[in-house]
Amino acid sequence: MTTRRQFLATTAAVALALPALDVAPSEDTFSFPLLGDLHYDQLDDHDMPWLRKDHPNDVRQVENYSRLTAEILSPLFAEVAAVTRAAKNAVPLVAQIGDLVEGLCGSPALARKQADEALALVASAKFDRPFLITKGNHDITGPGAKEVYTDVILPTFIKHPTLTNQQKACFTVERGGAVLAFFDCYDATASLAWLESIAAKLGDRRLLVFTHQPVVPYTGRLWHVYEKGADSGRRKQLLNLLGKHRAIVLNGHLHKYGLLARNTGDGGRFVQLSISSVISSKDQQPKQLTEGVEHYGPEMLKQEPSFSPDTAQARGDYLKSEAPFITHYDYADAAGYAMVHVSATKISADIYLG
């Protein structure tokens, strides 16, 4: 685990820092591991001629994820299980925020093979508590992938009695003064209506929202929920809902670390923590450490200068328009996992690297 000086100051310090709520101390204090994208993969999970023909730009990615699956995932799961066992607080669940598998298998049979292998790996980790996931784009990409996710992957993880308010891939876990809401970014219209229904009965309880895509862009790629102009109305609805309830949003997708706070139009504010678990080596160190709201805006395009240069001007303009709402910004090219701690007075996260 990195220290405050070695890494970025704010995961514990801004500490997802929102005003305390008055909640009776019952089951209010608990912790849970938070895993980002994992992209479980093996080369024989793919029809490689199909991949080379239909998705040639993904071949190197599949080769890399297959290597990382062999070298990293089992030790990562073992470490997270050990940290979980050593936790001082109750740990009611392990959360994973999408792209459990790489997808792009080429056939329904291979998609099922990949899913079965990933599920077996999770089972072998012996977390001894519910392992709960959000839907990632790779989980449903490729022939048969959507059906395998719906019929095989999701039912494996949502069979636990701790789950409430299930609507397809959306569900909640309610514990003490907190509601943990798992949001499906790929059925986003229905998911927004679902989240509004959850918020309507929230009362004074804290709201933690798990999404695969970030709600607020925190890199120059602008890959976030409701990013298209036609979705601007729904985006405003979501932002105001999160701000009203001082939510904590936990996500992945971009394979980078990020922590930001955003004001919303109704005067509310929410915090977004983004995690990557695509770990290139066991002792991976952070790069491109950036801290301060003055770095939020068109400057973020420099993080990946070769990405889509033809859209750079439009992306820069979007980030410039978003910048006035950002009250805290940290970024790093870093991967690992987090341990999130919830109590009646605050929510904080320890960030582990490698």
Side-chain angles (χ1 to χ4, degrees):
M1 188 176 70
T2 186
T3 68
R4 186 179 188 277
R5 258 178 212 286
Q6 290 169 327
F7 194 36
L8 297 173
T10 52
T11 303
V14 165
L16 314 177
L18 300 176
L21 298 174
D22 294 325
V23 179
S26 53
E27 292 187 298
D28 295 317
T29 300
F30 62 95
S31 302
F32 61 87
L34 180 70
L35 287 161
D37 301 36
L38 294 171
H39 292 269
Y40 174 93
D41 206 4
Q42 294 195 64
L43 288 179
D44 63 6
D45 292 336
H46 298 272
D47 178 342
M48 294 304 290
W50 171 85
L51 188 68
R52 293 188 185 98
K53 177 177 178 293
D54 285 23
H55 298 273
N57 294 332
D58 291 306
V59 172
R60 288 184 64 186
Q61 178 174 281
V62 163
E63 292 171 346
N64 185 50
Y65 286 143
S66 297
R67 177 184 67 83
L68 297 183
T69 294
E71 296 177 3
I72 299 293
L73 284 193
S74 288
L76 172 63
F77 280 7
E79 180 172 316
V80 171
V83 170
T84 298
R85 289 191 295 270
K88 295 179 181 178
N89 299 334
V91 181
L93 63 111
V94 176
Q96 194 273 325
I97 42 185
D99 285 359
L100 174 69
V101 298
E102 167 63 0
L104 292 167
C105 295
S107 73
L110 287 171
R112 175 63 189 262
K113 176 179 179 295
Q114 186 179 70
D116 286 343
E117 291 167 355
L119 296 175
L121 182 63
V122 172
S124 71
K126 300 189 184 309
F127 291 119
D128 298 328
R129 54 203 21 91
F131 187 97
L132 302 178
I133 62 173
T134 52
K135 183 193 291 181
N137 55 305
H138 278 264
D139 297 323
I140 55 172
T141 298
K146 289 182 180 179
E147 292 76 13
V148 168
Y149 186 85
T150 300
D151 298 339
V152 180
I153 295 179
L154 190 61
T156 300
F157 295 130
I158 62 173
K159 61 188 178 183
H160 300 281
T162 53
L163 270 57
T164 52
N165 301 303
Q166 188 200 347
Q167 176 183 288
K168 297 181 179 178
C170 294
F171 54 88
T172 60
V173 174
E174 302 182 35
R175 184 180 176 91
V179 175
L180 285 59
F182 289 72
F183 181 96
D184 180 359
C185 294
Y186 303 99
D187 188 6
T189 300
S191 298
L192 180 56
W194 171 85
L195 187 60
E196 287 178 326
S197 72
I198 300 302
K201 54 188 179 183
L202 194 64
D204 288 334
R205 292 177 295 173
R206 293 181 177 276
L207 177 64
L208 291 82
V209 181
F210 299 75
T211 69
H212 180 61
Q213 293 175 290
V215 172
V216 181
Y218 71 98
T219 79
R221 292 202 177 206
L222 299 195
W223 291 352
H224 59 282
V225 184
Y226 301 129
E227 66 183 80
K228 298 185 179 358
D231 289 328
S232 60
R234 283 187 284 269
R235 173 171 168 75
K236 184 177 181 180
Q237 279 180 262
L238 178 59
L239 293 174
N240 286 340
L241 182 156
L242 297 171
K244 177 182 178 181
H245 295 285
R246 297 172 288 172
I248 306 298
V249 180
L250 305 168
N251 54 47
H253 188 49
L254 296 177
H255 300 186
K256 309 292 183 183
Y257 165 87
L259 178 67
L260 60 79
R262 190 193 190 279
N263 284 335
T264 58
D266 65 353
R269 184 168 72 108
F270 67 92
V271 168
Q272 174 180 282
L273 173 64
S274 305
I275 292 291
S276 170
S277 295
V278 178
I279 302 169
S280 61
S281 65
K282 293 179 182 179
D283 60 350
Q284 181 174 339
Q285 296 300 305
K287 297 177 290 186
Q288 294 184 319
L289 274 68
T290 305
E291 184 176 9
V293 293
E294 67 273 17
H295 300 294
Y296 191 99
E299 178 186 330
M300 293 156 63
L301 301 182
K302 297 176 184 178
Q303 296 162 357
E304 298 177 274
S306 62
F307 175 77
S308 188
D310 56 321
T311 67
Q313 182 64 50
R315 289 183 288 120
D317 291 344
Y318 188 99
L319 291 168
K320 186 176 181 179
S321 70
E322 186 75 6
F325 298 97
I326 306 301
T327 62
H328 187 94
Y329 178 62
D330 290 339
Y331 165 86
D333 182 355
Y337 60 96
M339 196 72 172
V340 180
H341 308 290
V342 180
S343 75
T345 57
K346 69 177 181 179
I347 300 173
S348 63
D350 296 327
I351 305 299
Y352 292 77
L353 295 172

